[in-house]
Amino acid sequence: VQLQASGGGLVQPGESLRLSCTASGSISAVNSMGWYRQAPVKEREMVARITSGGSTSYADSVKGRFTISRDFAEKSVYLQMNSLKPEDTAVYYCDAVVTDSSGTHIALMGQGTQVTVSS
């Protein structure tokens, strides 16, 4: 069972990016998925999270600019990032809590994808 994230890149302030993450393997259900980020010399920060029921939560720093969405049938989560700022520059990590085919809950963390916002 693993996560694969994509969509990072280099953009200018005010531009947008969309991150995607898909879980693969013997998964019977996705309970929640989300995004963390870590900038140099800063602690890891929760960016956004969405549950199987559709409940969402966001870091205060991204509210109104970022939108998390899901397609749990496809075991995927997306992060639409608008009005990007230089302080959004970080490595973004996808994470998930899933139930595997044996009924075991598993916490996953994907590889990071770099987002750089710079003029």
Side-chain angles (χ1 to χ4, degrees):
V1 180
Q2 61 182 355
L3 296 174
Q4 181 70 42
S6 62
L10 171 63
V11 297
Q12 295 188 347
E15 294 187 339
S16 300
L17 276 177
R18 186 175 188 250
L19 304 183
S20 301
C21 177
T22 299
S24 61
S26 299
I27 297 171
S28 63
V30 178
N31 305 309
S32 66
M33 295 185 80
W35 296 91
Y36 285 80
R37 67 185 180 186
Q38 186 159 22
V41 302
K42 290 188 177 180
E43 292 188 356
R44 190 176 66 179
E45 172 188 29
M46 189 281 288
V47 177
R49 185 152 212 88
I50 188 165
T51 68
S52 58
S55 297
T56 58
S57 56
Y58 295 92
D60 288 342
S61 57
V62 306
K63 284 180 181 177
R65 300 188 297 121
F66 291 10
T67 302
I68 190 169
S69 60
R70 82 213 190 287
D71 182 349
F72 280 1
E74 296 295 327
K75 305 180 184 68
S76 296
V77 66
Y78 310 97
L79 186 67
Q80 179 66 42
M81 304 185 294
N82 298 329
S83 302
L84 282 161
K85 303 176 181 180
E87 50 263 44
D88 294 317
T89 295
V91 178
Y92 284 70
Y93 298 89
C94 171
D95 84 295
V97 177
V98 303
T99 302
D100 71 7
S101 56
S102 71
T104 301
H105 294 295
I106 301 173
L108 304 170
M109 180 74 76
Q111 92 289 359
T113 184
Q114 178 71 46
V115 171
T116 303
V117 185
S118 175
S119 55

